[in-house]
Amino acid sequence: VNTLAEQSRQAGIQVNVWMVGEAYYLTNDQGGSLIEMAVSTGGQFFNYTGVETLPDLTGTLSDLGYASELTYESGLRATGSYPLGIRAALSDLEITGESLPFYITIQPPNPMLLAPPASISREAVAGEGSDTASFSPSQVDLQILVEYPDGHPRELTASRLLVDGSVVDVNVSAPFDVFSWDISGLTETGEHTIQVEVEDSLGLRAATLLTPVQIEIIEPGLYGQLSLQQIGLVVSGIIAGAGLVLLGVWLFRKFWRVNQPWWQNRRQAALSGKGKSASEEMDGEEQRYALLLPLDSFNEPGEGNGLAVNQPRVLIGNDPQQVDLVLSSPGVDPIQAELSLEEDGFWLRHLGSPSRSTWLNYQPIGTEPVRVKPGDLLHFGELGFRFTMEVNEPDKKISISRYEPFS
């Protein structure tokens, strides 16, 4: 043992000795040699009799080795299985190895416009010393949100704003999520489409859905040429005219009720009875509660147009075995969301993964249900829809209470 301890000390090798047994074994020469070996080589001696807590080897051995962490920027641009090899060249040793193939999902980024305007009104502003009028506003700011469906966030290298298919603003450096749309040249009322395209560090590109924006041009009218006194006279005349019209309607209805013949009264009484609703006359046809119209569809609701909601509660996703409305898109989970009809209307909640959001009017929603109203915009992954109601509102009931004057 003494010879081994000397060789270890000369080689710079640290020896840690753990002895299992009673403490009296340390009183003989062999026990003393083991203690001397640990002390002379810079190690530690530990006697375990069955009741002590074993020391932590992490701290003991941490200084005897080293660990290296390697990072690199992948150039993979497609989903698939790939091998990963490693080679380390040390001062006197070269280590090589190859791992088992690994699978990775790579998808383009998913940009979305945040609260784009449905319409923009440009009002005429008379210029000083000029007979021609300019219009305001002359610029509209837009913003986007970028998601990464594959779960691998990465830097963007460019983003572009397109209006009616033409590029109007380009970002080649941060920030990539804000744009300015110059509308000073739009002087006629009409509809335009906006779209944002982004490109990431892998060269993958994606674009938002085409979003229509209505531009309303408000020309300078008569009021801009009148004084305040003249405007007051015009408004007073309009109010007086409206009052005369209402008075005439009231007198006509009163005269009509007084002079209505007996046979007309009987006819109205016959028509006042409550008949069957349209759903009762469908003879068993399936009732349609609501309709999801694709955002790129401009047809009126009809047979086969959009996704029909035929149940008070439907599940939405891409798994035909689990959901009622199937959306075939890689950005949609097997069960993405739930749309349910309650007494006060339709409610929507997100049931998918956090990385694949459900959006209501360009705002992400969670697992708590939120109210959905006719005309709202719903997004599931890359698919967008406009929500349309098909059922009638509940009949409004009128209650009459007895009038009791204050004493």
Side-chain angles (χ1 to χ4, degrees):
V1 174
N2 294 333
T3 303
L4 181 60
E6 180 63 21
Q7 292 175 349
S8 300
R9 187 182 64 79
Q10 293 178 358
I13 299 175
Q14 185 185 86
V15 179
N16 296 279
V17 180
W18 287 14
M19 189 185 81
V20 179
E22 298 297 333
Y24 68 82
Y25 286 114
L26 302 178
T27 60
N28 56 28
D29 294 340
Q30 292 181 350
S33 299
L34 292 176
I35 295 175
E36 178 63 25
M37 175 186 289
V39 173
S40 63
T41 59
Q44 296 179 355
F45 181 86
F46 175 71
N47 177 215
Y48 181 70
T49 63
V51 295
E52 295 83 1
T53 301
L54 293 176
D56 184 12
L57 279 177
T58 303
T60 303
L61 303 178
S62 60
D63 297 334
L64 303 180
Y66 57 89
S68 300
E69 181 179 348
L70 303 178
T71 60
Y72 72 100
E73 184 175 350
S74 172
L76 301 177
R77 302 180 60 207
T79 299
S81 297
Y82 298 91
L84 177 64
I86 184 173
R87 176 180 298 173
L90 306 179
S91 59
D92 57 350
L93 181 65
E94 183 175 295
I95 302 175
T96 60
E98 185 173 346
S99 70
L100 294 175
F102 69 94
Y103 182 84
I104 187 171
T105 300
I106 300 177
Q107 295 178 338
N110 180 30
M112 292 172 287
L113 282 164
L114 291 179
S119 63
I120 301 172
S121 298
R122 302 196 66 209
E123 297 184 1
V125 179
E128 296 182 1
S130 176
D131 296 335
T132 61
S134 59
F135 295 91
S136 179
S138 60
Q139 178 178 297
V140 176
D141 295 329
L142 301 172
Q143 188 173 6
I144 63 170
L145 174 67
V146 180
E147 285 187 338
Y148 293 88
D150 55 14
H152 304 294
R154 47 196 176 269
E155 297 293 333
L156 295 179
T157 58
S159 60
R160 291 169 281 271
L161 172 64
L162 296 87
V163 178
D164 298 332
S166 301
V167 177
V168 299
D169 193 15
V170 178
N171 294 321
V172 294
S173 60
F176 294 96
D177 59 343
V178 292
F179 303 89
S180 294
W181 178 16
D182 183 6
I183 60 174
S184 59
L186 303 179
T187 57
E188 295 183 359
T189 297
E191 184 179 85
H192 301 268
T193 58
I194 58 176
Q195 187 179 41
V196 172
E197 181 184 73
V198 298
E199 181 176 349
D200 62 17
S201 57
L202 297 180
L204 301 179
R205 297 183 179 182
T208 63
L209 298 172
L210 286 173
T211 303
V213 178
Q214 182 72 17
I215 301 294
E216 297 287 345
I217 303 298
I218 303 177
E219 299 286 351
L222 176 63
Y223 294 141
Q225 304 173 7
L226 299 178
S227 63
L228 292 177
Q229 183 178 5
Q230 292 172 327
I231 293 177
L233 292 175
V234 172
V235 172
S236 300
I238 294 176
I239 295 176
L244 292 176
V245 171
L246 293 176
L247 178 61
V249 172
W250 180 79
L251 292 175
F252 174 78
R253 293 182 62 182
K254 183 177 180 180
F255 175 79
W256 173 259
R257 290 178 181 177
V258 173
N259 297 277
Q260 193 173 15
W262 64 269
W263 54 266
Q264 184 69 15
N265 291 333
R266 292 184 59 185
R267 180 175 179 270
Q268 289 184 353
L271 292 177
S272 63
K274 184 177 181 182
K276 293 184 178 181
S277 64
S279 60
E280 294 175 347
E281 297 177 355
M282 293 174 66
D283 296 331
E285 291 186 6
E286 190 174 23
Q287 183 176 2
R288 188 165 69 180
Y289 294 91
L291 196 65
L292 301 183
L293 296 175
L295 288 184
D296 57 354
S297 174
F298 297 98
N299 298 323
E300 294 295 330
E303 188 68 20
N305 184 20
L307 299 178
V309 178
N310 299 326
Q311 306 176 67
R313 176 183 177 273
V314 295
L315 293 178
I316 303 171
N318 65 10
D319 187 353
Q321 303 297 327
Q322 303 185 65
V323 301
D324 306 294
L325 297 182
V326 181
L327 305 179
S328 300
S329 174
V332 177
D333 280 329
I335 301 179
Q336 178 78 15
E338 178 191 58
L339 184 64
S340 59
L341 176 61
E342 306 297 341
E343 294 182 357
D344 55 349
F346 275 92
W347 293 77
L348 179 70
R349 66 187 182 116
H350 179 67
L351 299 179
S353 61
S355 61
R356 298 180 176 179
S357 303
T358 299
W359 297 76
L360 174 62
N361 294 327
Y362 302 101
Q363 297 294 329
I365 66 172
T367 57
E368 291 294 329
V370 295
R371 179 73 182 274
V372 182
K373 295 176 289 187
D376 284 349
L377 301 181
L378 311 182
H379 284 84
F380 310 97
E382 301 177 356
L383 303 180
F385 301 90
R386 186 178 296 277
F387 179 78
T388 303
M389 292 281 290
E390 292 289 331
V391 297
N392 294 327
E393 295 183 357
D395 295 337
K396 298 181 178 179
K397 298 180 180 180
I398 300 177
S399 61
I400 301 176
S401 59
R402 181 179 180 183
Y403 170 72
E404 297 181 359
F406 292 103
S407 57

